[in-house]
Amino acid sequence: MLKKLSVVTLLLIVTIGCRGRSSSPVAPSSQSSAEAALAAVEVNGTIDGISSDGIIVGGRSIRVRPDTQISFGNTPLAFTDLLVGMSVRTSNRDEGGVLTASRIDVDRMPSSASSPSPSPSPAPSPSPSPSPSPSPSPSPSPSPSPSPSPSPSPSPSPSPSPSPAPSPSPSPSPSPSPSPAPSPSPVPNPVTVSGTVSGLSGACPLLTFSTSGSNVTTSPATQYSGTTCASLKQGDSVQVQGTYGAGGTVVADQVTKR
């Protein structure tokens, strides 16, 4: 009797142990964890800053790689075409704690990116008109001398023929006065300023900023060394070579990042 009770008890213990194992929860697989880590992270907003290898949107740094797809509608763009103030939608991956963009869609260009109106060309200075040369006054033609009346004689003498009137000699025409030589255009005065970029505004190729107390403007003819027009940013240490323009503004011919 005791032997049968021991066998029944052993069978109950084995049955309860098997049920406990089958009802225990299964831990998530490592594959699900990896898929969650690679899930796309969307960051939308306005570009607040641009670095050498990424952008800042809504206070979050996003790395841009060479294989990142960038477009404005149906038009593909390059990383150098991105500007501060653009409204963008980004799709990113978390790679080792760094957001890396796989796609960037530009929704709106900044208002400063519109093409500037051309500046009016200066009106040409009127050339001095030559003074009119005086016309020569006509010489008075000599009046013909009267023929002498014939003296009374038995045989009439023929009247002398009148002497031909002398032809007037042409008076020489005055030579035209020489026109004044044009005054030489002033030579632009070169200037060089160095300092830190502040107050940066505008859009490439027309930028405006201040350095060492001088206002600087760039143009399509401005050349860059150590940087580009699109990557120039606040706080960069630069040397500007150019000439003085209107109002004492320095028109940059060369911008070198130091």
Side-chain angles (χ1 to χ4, degrees):
M1 183 67 179
L2 292 175
K3 188 175 181 179
K4 291 181 179 180
L5 289 175
S6 300
V7 173
V8 171
T9 304
L10 182 59
L11 291 175
L12 289 175
I13 293 173
V14 172
T15 303
I16 293 172
C18 292
R19 289 181 179 178
R21 288 184 180 180
S22 61
S23 60
S24 60
V26 178
S29 64
S30 58
Q31 182 179 1
S32 300
S33 301
E35 291 177 354
L38 295 178
V41 178
E42 292 189 359
V43 178
N44 304 330
T46 303
I47 298 179
D48 302 322
I50 300 176
S51 62
S52 60
D53 62 345
I55 58 177
I56 300 175
V57 179
R60 304 184 69 177
S61 297
I62 299 173
R63 180 171 58 188
V64 179
R65 301 178 60 178
D67 59 349
T68 301
Q69 297 180 3
I70 308 174
S71 63
F72 177 48
N74 295 327
T75 304
L77 301 179
F79 173 66
T80 54
D81 296 327
L82 296 180
L83 299 174
V84 174
M86 282 183 172
S87 178
V88 297
R89 291 177 290 108
T90 66
S91 179
N92 313 280
R93 301 185 303 272
D94 189 348
E95 297 182 354
V98 178
L99 285 180
T100 302
S102 58
R103 183 175 183 83
I104 299 176
D105 293 315
V106 179
D107 292 333
R108 179 174 52 84
M109 291 288 185
S111 58
S112 60
S114 59
S115 57
S117 58
S119 57
S121 58
S125 58
S127 58
S129 57
S131 58
S133 58
S135 59
S137 59
S139 303
S141 61
S143 58
S145 58
S147 60
S149 60
S151 59
S153 59
S155 59
S157 60
S159 59
S161 60
S163 59
S167 60
S169 60
S171 57
S173 60
S175 59
S177 58
S179 59
S183 58
S185 58
V187 178
N189 188 19
V191 62
T192 301
V193 294
S194 301
T196 303
V197 174
S198 62
L200 179 64
S201 63
C204 291
L206 304 177
L207 298 179
T208 302
F209 60 90
S210 299
T211 180
S212 298
S214 298
N215 294 328
V216 180
T217 61
T218 64
S219 68
T222 302
Q223 298 182 355
Y224 295 85
S225 177
T227 184
T228 62
C229 179
S231 61
L232 189 66
K233 62 182 181 299
Q234 294 277 105
D236 283 352
S237 178
V238 296
Q239 182 184 61
V240 179
Q241 296 176 334
T243 57
Y244 283 114
T249 301
V250 178
V251 180
D253 295 329
Q254 175 81 27
V255 177
T256 303
K257 182 176 180 181
R258 301 187 300 172

